[in-house]
Amino acid sequence: MTRIRQAGEAVGHAVSRSVGGTGRRIRRATHAQGAGESGLGRLIELHAVNAAGDMMITVALASTVFFSVPTDEARGRVALYLLITMAPFALLAPVIGPLLDRVPHGRRAAIATTMLARALLAVMMAGAVSTGALELYPAALGVLVSSKAYGVVRSAVVPRLLPRRISLVKANSRVTLSGLLATGVAAPVGAMLHFIGPAWPLYGAFVIFVTGMFLAFALSHDVDSARGEGKAQLASGGRGPLHVRPKPGLRTVGPSVLHGLQANATLRALSGFLTFFLAFLLRENPPGGLTPEVTLGLAVVAAGVGNAMGSVVGSWLRARGPERIIAVLLGFALAAAVCAAVFFGLVAVVALAAVAGLAQSLCKLSLDAMIQRDVPEEVRTSAFARSETIMQLAWCVGGGIGILLPLNGTVGMVTAASLVGLGVLATVRGLVVSARRGTPHPRVA
């Protein structure tokens, strides 16, 4: 018994040292280059918690709405999900940014509220997730709105926590990468919890979001600072300088930022489209002779790797020409979509998913750089909030198109190419013109 106890104590000490060492290494990474002193490190950790909780809910919903029923019934359930959640969100999304403008001094409380709301909604969903009852969908709408509200507030507060040695594009790449890593960890954990019972991933989400609520209040007090801020309205009003008007809003954020936002909205729409269309297409008609689970897994991994690569590249890329980066990546996305339409197959679909993930991630970082460079500090926070709302709405529109199309690979890829093609026609010329004019700023990269 003594030897067994000693062996158990040795194993316990080894596990403790391993966990503690891992935690210290993570803390050093998140707090590097002044991020710990500015408060950015805590926001990076909070975003990882947020991403893990959202993934737990995604696993629970996917198992109920998508995987547990035949394809035709699954399409009906997802269509119902889109109708009940996405349609009201399309009406609520434009309100999120202006609403958050009214609480600039309570951003920590706003973030904590989005965490608490999702924690409570996860518990409510646990009772309906096994049957797919109708009450599951209003709760899912609440989760979606809370998640997007968190994204808006998070984008708005990053500039307030920016260390002197880190640019906005690098700070956002760190935040995004932490979320991707947490998602990669939470997905298999959620799958294991699902084997215990369909409600268990939601119980896990409850614990995670409650933890996130407390972490939100541990953020720096600078998050609640609104000194010198104004409100931004994303509308094109000419080439002149920006002015704060007596009434709420700015009439322009400049053509460069506006074209960058349009390009990012195009890529978000492509992401939403591929998410829903490929989910059903690869389940019903998997190319390459592989099983649906393998093909869908390859597409998901490819998109995740592309997203992570965009964040990694953004963390060291000196984006002195963000307009050019966005224009080039839009071209790559269009080329990948055209190739997928012409040479439809497993390789082409996986390549498109990877390129779409890379382009979406790196173009968002480039848009952040343009907002930092071109939008005055007194209205920059509001510009981030409203741009994030528009991009989330674009994702919903793309997802709606994906669920309505017939399950024909060539038709779907032609539609994807058409979406990106419209974005290229609408934005690339303006981006190139803006890049030629040039607007130097010492902290773009």
Side-chain angles (χ1 to χ4, degrees):
M1 289 296 295
T2 302
R3 290 183 177 179
I4 294 176
R5 185 173 63 253
Q6 291 174 344
E9 291 175 352
V11 171
H13 287 310
V15 172
S16 177
R17 286 196 301 271
S18 176
V19 173
T22 302
R24 285 190 293 272
R25 286 191 293 271
I26 292 174
R27 177 57 62 91
R28 282 198 299 269
T30 58
H31 286 57
Q33 293 183 297
E37 292 80 359
S38 71
L40 179 64
R42 289 186 177 181
L43 181 63
I44 292 173
E45 294 165 357
L46 174 63
H47 185 66
V49 170
N50 172 82
D54 277 345
M55 176 50 64
M56 289 287 188
I57 291 182
T58 300
V59 169
L61 286 176
S63 63
T64 300
V65 176
F66 181 74
F67 287 109
S68 62
V69 295
T71 300
D72 290 339
E73 185 178 347
R75 293 193 78 182
R77 287 193 178 190
V78 173
L80 181 63
Y81 174 84
L82 287 175
L83 181 64
I84 297 178
T85 61
M86 299 300 187
F89 177 73
L91 300 176
L92 293 173
V95 182
I96 293 177
L99 181 63
L100 292 173
D101 277 336
R102 299 179 180 274
V103 288
H105 298 286
R107 293 193 183 109
R108 290 187 301 168
I111 293 175
T113 299
T114 67
M115 297 286 179
L116 177 60
R118 281 177 286 175
L120 297 177
L121 288 168
V123 174
M124 292 173 58
M125 293 165 66
V129 71
S130 59
T131 60
L134 191 62
E135 58 265 27
L136 179 69
Y137 298 95
L141 170 62
V143 170
L144 177 66
V145 172
S146 298
S147 179
K148 301 316 177 187
Y150 162 82
V152 169
V153 181
R154 190 263 301 169
S155 294
V157 303
V158 170
R160 286 290 175 187
L161 303 177
L162 198 63
R164 293 184 177 181
R165 289 178 285 171
I166 301 178
S167 71
L168 188 59
V169 64
K170 292 182 180 180
N172 276 282
S173 69
R174 284 193 183 185
V175 174
T176 302
L177 188 58
S178 74
L180 290 171
L181 293 174
T183 297
V185 173
V189 173
M192 288 187 290
L193 289 175
H194 178 70
F195 281 116
I196 302 176
W200 278 90
L202 294 168
Y203 295 140
F206 171 81
V207 174
I208 292 172
F209 284 128
V210 169
T211 302
M213 180 185 66
F214 289 106
L215 290 177
F217 286 114
L219 292 173
S220 168
H221 289 281
D222 291 338
V223 169
D224 288 332
S225 172
R227 178 172 46 84
E229 292 183 4
K231 298 177 183 179
Q233 180 173 342
L234 297 175
S236 180
R239 300 178 182 176
L242 303 177
H243 299 283
V244 179
R245 305 196 172 200
K247 294 182 179 180
L250 298 175
R251 299 314 303 171
T252 179
V253 292
S256 182
V257 172
L258 195 60
H259 288 312
L261 178 57
Q262 290 169 341
N264 273 268
T266 298
L267 292 171
R268 287 294 182 96
L270 175 66
S271 174
F273 172 80
L274 293 178
T275 297
F276 287 96
F277 181 76
L278 290 182
F280 288 110
L281 177 69
L282 298 182
R283 177 180 176 178
E284 186 71 11
N285 303 306
L290 300 176
T291 63
E293 293 78 10
V294 172
T295 53
L296 186 57
L298 288 173
V300 170
V301 169
V305 170
N307 226 311
M309 285 300 297
S311 299
V312 171
V313 171
S315 68
W316 58 260
L317 182 66
R318 297 194 64 79
R320 297 199 179 278
E323 294 92 347
R324 292 188 179 92
I325 291 175
I326 294 176
V328 169
L329 287 171
L330 267 179
F332 280 155
L334 178 59
V338 170
C339 288
V342 176
F343 307 105
F344 179 74
L346 180 61
V347 174
V349 168
V350 170
L352 176 59
V355 171
L358 172 67
Q360 176 183 299
S361 177
L362 194 49
C363 284
K364 176 59 168 65
L365 296 175
S366 298
L367 176 63
D368 292 342
M370 288 193 291
I371 292 177
Q372 181 193 31
R373 182 194 65 193
D374 295 345
V375 178
E377 182 179 359
E378 63 268 17
V379 294
R380 193 179 296 154
T381 296
S382 180
F384 270 109
R386 298 183 186 231
S387 65
E388 183 68 20
T389 300
I390 289 173
M391 287 187 288
Q392 299 294 355
L393 186 57
W395 189 93
C396 297
V397 172
I401 296 172
I403 193 63
L404 293 174
L405 279 186
L407 297 181
N408 181 290
T410 302
V411 171
M413 296 305 99
V414 168
T415 303
S418 300
L419 282 174
V420 183
L422 290 174
V424 168
L425 292 175
T427 64
V428 167
R429 184 176 181 274
L431 288 169
V432 172
V433 170
S434 299
R436 287 175 179 172
R437 288 175 184 162
T439 310
H441 192 286
R443 299 192 68 206
V444 172

